[in-house]
Amino acid sequence: MSIVLIAEQILNGLQLGVMLFLMAAGLTLIFGVMGLINLAHGSLYMIGAFACAGIASATGSFWLGLLAGLSAAAAAGAIVELAVIRRLYNRDHLDQVLATFALILVFSEGTRWVFGSFPLYLTPPEVLEGTVTLPGGIIYSRFRLAIIVAGLAVAGGLFLLIGKTLLGVRIRAGECDREMIAALGVNIGILYTLVFALGAGLAGLAGAMVGSIQSVQVGMGEPVLILAFVVIVIGGIGSVAGAFVGSILVGMADTLGRFLFPVFFGTFMDPSSAMSVGSALASMLIYLLMAAVLVFRPQGLFGHVGA
Amino acid sequence: MSARERGLNIGLASLLLVVPLAAAYFGEPYYLTLATRIAILSIAAVGLNFALGLGGLVSFGHAAYFGLGGYAAGILANHALNGQAILAWPMEIGGTTFMPAIWLVAVLVAALTAFLIGMLSLRTTGVYFIMITLAFAQMLYYFAVSWPAYGGEDGLPVYVRNSFPGLNTFDPVQFFLISFAALMVSLAIFSVLRNSNFGLALRASRQNAGRLESLGIEVFRLRLTAFVVSGAITGLAGALYADLNRFVSPQMLSWHMSGEIMVFVILGGVGRLFGPVAGAALYIFLEQSLGEVSDYWQVFLGLLLLCVVLFARGGLIGTVLDRRNG
């Protein structure tokens, strides 16, 4: 097994991690500021991918598609917040779970209605086709590398937004004390809609970018949503930094586990059973990681006790 | 429980018993299968109602116990047919098609898994608990998909229906009666436990865990016990469901199944004895009637659920009882 092969898997893990961060950051912000658990976050990811695929095939421009994916998901997020989610902030988590589960049904079947059951395919733009040779002779897909760079840039932008701007100050204040910032004259309704649309836009962007690697299909959002939940449990709820560390950990563990476990079991088992045992165990690895965090730090790596 | 609710419950139980039997008598066996499905899914929801309704534990991962019960039935029946031992060492354990034995294994496997998952997830509360139960259920789903020995993604057919002494389980009427009886037994367990000291403490823990602790009752153990009982009942439903469909697939373990079981409970009325039965019946009814109208019936189901959450709190039984009182 060569170093180059491992380096490629590490980059794949980084790419998965960065995508997970775009999902988890929105979820954790929405929970932190509004105290809402949003199961339909995966649907917003799906909307981003479908809007991107639809616009890209209609106009022939991937970049327009990407923009469409981002804005369609953000718009859908804002509409859903105004129409439904707004009524759920003062309800208990059970109502939130049921309502957002209902939203998944509406979004998934609605998308199937409009686009049909067959998966769509998105081709990356020509500039990003092919491979690049990185230092050390590592040959890697140009598009995946672009996703990593774009994801890291968005993550940096999000940290700046939260750390340095007025909106960020209000978001952080909202996490500390919702009533107080409303009393200080901040229009809390607009803030909530903005935060929800921001989270939705991030999910849509992730969906649009991943859509070019995988196929775009109904139900693509929920596996990612559940991974994002694992990320949040590991990182600590409401913490964007925790979401970042958790995302990279989960992305790396999942990718490297799937690659290394079959190899490891192959050293003392026949190839076919090593493959099945290895891949079955690798599929459980991130959940075991989550269990370990729960045993030693139930509040998550970056969480506060009592949060 | 008010006299009104008791009357409503008796009415619901008789409806579920009489309507399908009458339909079978008049040569419409399709409704019998439908009613069997309602009875079995109700058992799964009774299990969740125990954790959710009495203990306030919002588990979004009950498909795990449902699916494990199903796989327990499927794996035992498969080994009984092909004659291979499940375990050769330290003692030889073979398969079986004997229903009571299968149920016992399904309940034990589900209870043990609920114990392990509960040990970890009950360390947290609220949103964490929801996400963690969902994640662990999904772990089992992915394991079932990627483990090829028992069919992997394609699922596992159960070639014969398992047997029950003195009954012909292939006869749809007799299989329905078995499922109905199992539902009544699980409802009886729910009712007895709810009114026991344990049930009182559990309901108190939902309202004020801190006060209960100060009275010297250990809330963690209380919740863990409730969670294990809850998982065990849902596991029994899984075993019956495998026999009904004569097929087990990872779909039984998926998050969508968890969501459906939760919808049954909420649709019917959280914490109500017959809430799960009313909810499952309404859901299956909607699935059938909306399914005839449109292939995309889940859109309408979703919109309806949204209306229930936003405007009709207390579920079906709660709404009916309120209206009569008002």
PDB file of all heavy atoms in Angstrom, chain B residues 73 108 127 200 295:
ATOM      1  N   ALA B  73     -36.481 -13.255  13.807  1.00  0.00           N
ATOM      2  CA  ALA B  73     -37.419 -14.227  13.241  1.00  0.00           C
ATOM      3  C   ALA B  73     -36.886 -14.792  11.928  1.00  0.00           C
ATOM      4  O   ALA B  73     -36.885 -16.012  11.707  1.00  0.00           O
ATOM      5  CB  ALA B  73     -38.774 -13.567  13.027  1.00  0.00           C
ATOM      6  N   LEU B 108     -35.765 -10.755  23.559  1.00  0.00           N
ATOM      7  CA  LEU B 108     -34.497 -10.668  24.290  1.00  0.00           C
ATOM      8  C   LEU B 108     -33.460  -9.863  23.522  1.00  0.00           C
ATOM      9  O   LEU B 108     -32.760  -9.024  24.101  1.00  0.00           O
ATOM     10  CB  LEU B 108     -33.953 -12.077  24.584  1.00  0.00           C
ATOM     11  CG  LEU B 108     -34.701 -12.846  25.666  1.00  0.00           C
ATOM     12  CD1 LEU B 108     -34.107 -14.238  25.848  1.00  0.00           C
ATOM     13  CD2 LEU B 108     -34.670 -12.077  26.991  1.00  0.00           C
ATOM     14  N   VAL B 127     -32.608  17.238  22.634  1.00  0.00           N
ATOM     15  CA  VAL B 127     -32.255  17.066  21.231  1.00  0.00           C
ATOM     16  C   VAL B 127     -31.144  16.031  21.057  1.00  0.00           C
ATOM     17  O   VAL B 127     -31.142  15.251  20.114  1.00  0.00           O
ATOM     18  CB  VAL B 127     -31.780  18.398  20.644  1.00  0.00           C
ATOM     19  CG1 VAL B 127     -31.586  18.255  19.157  1.00  0.00           C
ATOM     20  CG2 VAL B 127     -32.771  19.469  20.925  1.00  0.00           C
ATOM     21  N   LEU B 200     -46.007   5.327  37.766  1.00  0.00           N
ATOM     22  CA  LEU B 200     -46.199   6.635  38.403  1.00  0.00           C
ATOM     23  C   LEU B 200     -44.887   7.403  38.455  1.00  0.00           C
ATOM     24  O   LEU B 200     -44.825   8.585  38.120  1.00  0.00           O
ATOM     25  CB  LEU B 200     -46.720   6.436  39.829  1.00  0.00           C
ATOM     26  CG  LEU B 200     -48.223   6.328  39.979  1.00  0.00           C
ATOM     27  CD1 LEU B 200     -48.569   6.033  41.433  1.00  0.00           C
ATOM     28  CD2 LEU B 200     -48.868   7.636  39.547  1.00  0.00           C
ATOM     29  N   ASP B 295     -50.151   8.751  -6.842  1.00  0.00           N
ATOM     30  CA  ASP B 295     -48.928   8.021  -6.541  1.00  0.00           C
ATOM     31  C   ASP B 295     -48.085   8.772  -5.517  1.00  0.00           C
ATOM     32  O   ASP B 295     -47.233   8.209  -4.862  1.00  0.00           O
ATOM     33  CB  ASP B 295     -48.092   7.837  -7.815  1.00  0.00           C
ATOM     34  CG  ASP B 295     -48.664   6.733  -8.683  1.00  0.00           C
ATOM     35  OD1 ASP B 295     -49.504   5.971  -8.173  1.00  0.00           O
ATOM     36  OD2 ASP B 295     -48.274   6.652  -9.854  1.00  0.00           O
TER      37      ASP B 295
END
